[in-house]
Every structure is written in C-alpha cells, then in structure tokens.
Amino acid sequence: MSTLRINGGKRLAGEIEVHGAKNSVLPILAASLLANGETVIHNCPGLSDVDAAVKILRHLGCGVKREGTTITIDSSTMDRCDIPDALMREMRSSVIFLGAIVARCGEAVLSMPGGCELGPRPIDMHLAALKSMGAEITETGGNIICRSKKLHGARIDFLTPSVGATENSMVAASCIEGTTVINNAAREPEICDLQDYLNKLGANVSGAGTPVIVVEGRSFKGSAEHTVIPDRIVAATYLTAVACAGGDVVVKDLIPAHVSTITQALEEMGCHIETHGGSIRIVKNENRLVAPRPVITRPYPGFPTDAQPMLMSATLTAAGTTVFVENIFENRFRHVSELRRMGADVKTEGRVAIVSGVEKLHAAPVAATDLRGGAALVVAALGAEGTSVISELKHIDRGYYGLENALRGIGVDIERV
Ligand code: UD1
C-alpha cells in the first residue's frame, strides 16, 4: 500500500498547472455514446475515475484510444446496454451513463450505485427526470432497468439543483423527439462544458449556467472534437496549499471566475491574489492568516462543497474562529478527525464545523477518508512542521493526476513510497 510522505513547513514558489476537470470529462465521455461516430476529447487527465469510464465505454462495445490526455471514442460499434456491478462500483458517478444509454438503446441496465463516503447519494431525481421523458423504471435485485420504446421531451422541475441529474436529463433529452425544459437546473461550469460538447455533436441545448436549460431534441449523428475545461477544484487545492504553507506561486491553466468564491475567502484571510488571464498569482507572506467569514457550501455559484475540506485546512492556523456550514452532503467532515491528529482544533455538530485557529500544525500519520478529504490532508501537511505520512491514496488518485510532480515543481518535499 503506497503512502505520500510530505515534509512540510516550507514556503512554496514557482508555477503549477491545473489539469482537465474530472467532473467534465465523465459526463462528456457518457455523452459520446450519442455521437454514433468518432469523437476526440482533449485535456482528459489520467485519473482512476476516467480509467473506469473508459472501461465502461469499452464494455458497451465502443472503440476507445488514449494518447496522452486525448481520448478518441468510436461509439458506432456500441452493442450493449448494461453496466455490470463491478464497473459501477469502480466509479460511483457511473449513473451518469444512464441517460445516454437509454436514449440511444431504448434500454439501460445498471446496478444500484449504492451509498458513498459522503453519505447516502440518492438518484431519485435522475430516475424521476427520465420517467417524465417516458422511461419505465424497475428496480430489482440491486439493478435498475430503465426502458423506453421512445423517449419524448418533458418539463422537469428539480426541487434542488443536482449536477448529475441535470447532466443525465440534458444528455437524454438532446437526441429524442420534442423539447425538454429543465427548471432549477444545476449551474456548475461542468454543465456549460457538457452543453458545448453536445452542441458540437449537433444537439440544440441552451441555457446552461442559468437555472433553466432548454433542449430541443433532434436526431443527430455527429462527431466532435472538444477540449474539457480546467478542474476548478484542483485549482482550489493548489491555491489553498499556498495559503497553508506560505509562498508566492502562479497557478496556471485555470478559469479565474470558476474559483472566485475560493479566492475571495483567501483574500479575506490575508492572501494577496492577482489574476492574469488564465492564471492566478497567490502570495502568502509571513503574517498569520485571519479567519474568514462563515464558509457556507451551496450549489454553484455558491461556495463549492468540493473545496470545503481544503479551505478548512488553510483556516486551521488562521487567527480567530472559522465556521463551516456544509449544505450539500451530510457526511463531509470525515477529514476532521485526521486533521485533529495534526494538532487542529475543530468541533463538529451535524452540518456545522467550527475551527479555532491554532498557532502551528505538526506532522502526523493520517489516512485519506475520501477524495477531497484526502486533498485537505495534503494541504494541511504542507503547512505542518515535520514529515506527515498520508495513506489510503486511492481516494486522492480519483481526482488528482501527477500530484507529486506538480507539487515538487513549487518546492514541496514530497515522495510516494
Ligand atoms: C457532483 C460532483 C461532485 C460534487 C457534487 C456537488 C460529479 C461527477 N460529481 O456530484 O464532485 O460534490 O456534484 O457539487 O460531477 N440529490 C438527491 N437526489 C438525486 C441527486 C442528488 O437528493 O437524485 C442530492 C444529493 O444528495 C446532494 C445534492 O442533491 O445533497 C446535490 O448532489 P448532486 O449535485 O447530484 O451531486 P453529484 O452530481 O452526485
């Protein structure tokens, strides 16, 4: 079992690049099933979740080629409509394939994705949306069977914006007859990226980035070439890393507007932020950081739940008290008990965590509990004196490609053992 050894407490300097967005690549790979021809997707990071999505495409009969960060998919040879349990378990977000498979084949058989480390992750909104488009859904023996002779456009009203359910609805709606209107749609940048890709394939989707998405269904047999957007959560991780360790770093290849809630919080804490095109320079000098206003996670454009754990690491040594309110996932403070091993003073009660800033963190052996919780441990270890050893790296490897090399480039003493 490999571990990361991080000798922290050193100031960071230099430039670091952000890779493509995991949460864009996955729905785009699913949507490539509709292409019925060859599509080329650039900027796909070599993450274990992306490997799992490629395995699913190959299982479904698609031809998939990978060259560096480019994935070429030929979906014209697709000849199956099921995703077996083993593949579903490899990536919890594989439910994202549901809409594409049923729209293309008239049937999809998936095993239930089950719970996850962030608490129960229901898919009722995905299923309700497909039902309103005419799908019949049966759940038997842990399988979901979704059938439709012919899906049709529908009005979908989400009670709360769900990223995955919005994506499944957009994909399914784009190649069926009729108009679909998605109300209270998720507005995340990855939704806009999916809209761009679908429209390149020949679909007619508009409104992504607003609460109302309109999809004029049409048949298309397109092929497309697309470059996925930069990963805003990886960018947030690097920015919080500099805040925690101190230093002067340029984070490159990002879209500053996508991380504005994070940079606002970091500025409030006393970091200096400069934006230049697709780069952000962050400077954290010797002065102690101060606690920011309460950090309340909300759907985009609110503060992202995925960046909450890493920002928490940066607040651990800030003067004062920081309040975190987690509104999206109920089990998203699992990193707290590991951070306490490094000397952090954090109390949790339900969806609220209260950080009382300590003078210093110290190195400790810690275990990643989930993807972003693991990233939070890396960030904290950079600011902690001594060598921390982080285990359970499989969680971190789901979302960060080439993490050690990238961090070494800004002066981090890090090794995978
Ligand atoms: C996506 C992201 C994940 C991020 C999350 C919230 C991907 C692959 N993953 O996950 O990194 O943390 O958005 O920004 O893009 N819900 C229901 N019923 C449903 C679906 C969702 O009740 O059918 C609830 C969830 O429990 C949660 C909220 O809606 O409380 C938002 O979840 P959702 O936006 O769907 O998250 P994911 O798409 O799974």
Side-chain angles (χ1 to χ4, degrees):
M1 191 184 68
S2 48
T3 56
L4 273 185
R5 281 165 197 264
I6 298 178
N7 184 9
K10 296 180 174 49
R11 290 178 66 74
L12 310 179
E15 294 184 347
I16 189 164
E17 284 163 18
V18 174
H19 61 62
K22 167 178 87 73
N23 289 351
S24 257
V25 176
L26 301 179
I28 286 173
L29 289 178
S32 75
L33 290 177
L34 303 183
N36 214 6
E38 205 173 69
T39 63
V40 183
I41 318 293
H42 302 292
N43 207 22
C44 303
L47 303 168
S48 54
D49 269 9
V50 176
D51 298 344
V54 165
K55 278 191 203 165
I56 291 173
L57 289 170
R58 287 192 174 132
H59 168 84
L60 295 171
C62 303
V64 185
K65 270 190 294 185
R66 285 178 88 167
E67 285 161 309
T69 58
T70 296
I71 301 183
T72 305
I73 306 116
D74 177 2
S75 56
S76 63
T77 49
M78 179 178 178
D79 57 3
R80 301 184 68 123
C81 62
D82 68 303
I83 305 181
D85 192 50
L87 290 178
M88 284 298 286
R89 280 176 197 278
E90 273 190 45
M91 181 180 65
R92 291 197 174 86
S93 36
S94 38
V95 70
I96 205 64
F97 280 86
L98 183 63
I101 298 177
V102 72
R104 169 147 178 189
C105 307
E107 180 173 283
V109 183
L110 270 61
S111 76
M112 272 304 244
C116 82
E117 64 269 8
L118 304 180
R121 220 152 164 175
I123 57 164
D124 53 310
M125 290 161 65
H126 300 244
L127 301 185
L130 290 168
K131 270 185 197 160
S132 64
M133 291 185 217
E136 272 173 36
I137 295 174
T138 37
E139 294 174 43
T140 48
N143 278 335
I144 304 167
I145 303 168
C146 185
R147 278 200 189 97
S148 157
K149 286 211 173 65
K150 203 170 178 206
L151 292 177
H152 52 76
R155 178 189 158 132
I156 298 167
D157 297 307
F158 286 133
L159 279 178
T160 180
S162 156
V163 175
T166 301
E167 291 167 344
N168 250 327
S169 309
M170 286 164 77
V171 171
S174 63
C175 65
I176 60 179
E177 226 167 72
T179 301
T180 297
V181 178
I182 308 169
N183 291 311
N184 203 13
R187 297 161 64 186
E188 270 67 3
E190 294 75 23
I191 303 277
C192 301
D193 208 23
L194 179 62
Q195 170 176 288
D196 285 351
Y197 172 68
L198 285 168
N199 287 344
K200 283 180 189 171
L201 281 182
N204 184 358
V205 187
S206 58
T210 77
V212 183
I213 295 177
V214 179
V215 187
E216 305 282 355
R218 49 165 76 163
S219 62
F220 55 88
K221 291 197 171 183
S223 51
E225 187 163 356
H226 184 76
T227 301
V228 301
I229 57 171
D231 196 309
R232 63 198 164 96
I233 306 302
V234 170
T237 306
Y238 295 159
L239 292 166
T240 50
V242 181
C244 200
D248 183 346
V249 169
V250 176
V251 184
K252 291 171 64 178
D253 298 344
L254 51 70
I255 299 175
H258 292 177
V259 290
S260 62
T261 49
I262 291 106
T263 48
Q264 270 163 25
L266 293 173
E267 271 185 313
E268 232 179 282
M269 293 172 72
C271 295
H272 172 76
I273 303 277
E274 278 172 34
T275 298
H276 303 279
S279 303
I280 291 178
R281 177 179 173 213
I282 173 165
V283 184
K284 154 70 175 70
N285 59 24
E286 303 296 340
N287 295 340
R288 190 175 178 192
L289 293 175
V290 292
R293 278 175 293 183
V295 179
I296 303 171
T297 65
R298 299 187 205 280
Y300 194 86
F303 192 92
T305 174
D306 284 357
Q308 171 263 107
M310 295 82 89
L311 186 69
M312 183 182 289
S313 292
T315 64
L316 297 176
T317 52
T321 303
T322 311
V323 176
F324 287 85
V325 181
E326 174 53 58
N327 282 318
I328 310 294
F329 292 113
E330 61 190 56
N331 209 357
R332 204 149 206 184
F333 289 138
R334 293 179 71 212
H335 48 284
V336 166
S337 55
E338 300 300 302
L339 292 174
R340 284 193 195 117
R341 297 171 72 124
M342 302 172 94
D345 180 353
V346 189
K347 294 186 180 54
T348 57
E349 178 69 49
R351 290 177 176 259
V352 177
I354 297 175
V355 177
S356 303
V358 293
E359 290 282 336
K360 269 191 196 172
L361 296 175
H362 54 76
V366 286
T369 50
D370 56 84
L371 166 54
R372 306 304 170 187
L377 300 181
V378 171
V379 171
L382 296 177
E385 294 285 337
T387 302
S388 294
V389 179
I390 304 175
S391 56
E392 295 297 328
L393 301 184
K394 63 176 189 291
H395 295 297
I396 300 178
D397 292 341
R398 286 184 42 227
Y400 296 86
Y401 182 66
L403 182 67
E404 297 96 276
N405 274 343
L407 290 176
R408 242 178 247 129
I410 52 171
V412 175
D413 182 358
I414 182 171
E415 202 188 356
R416 191 178 281 243
V417 183

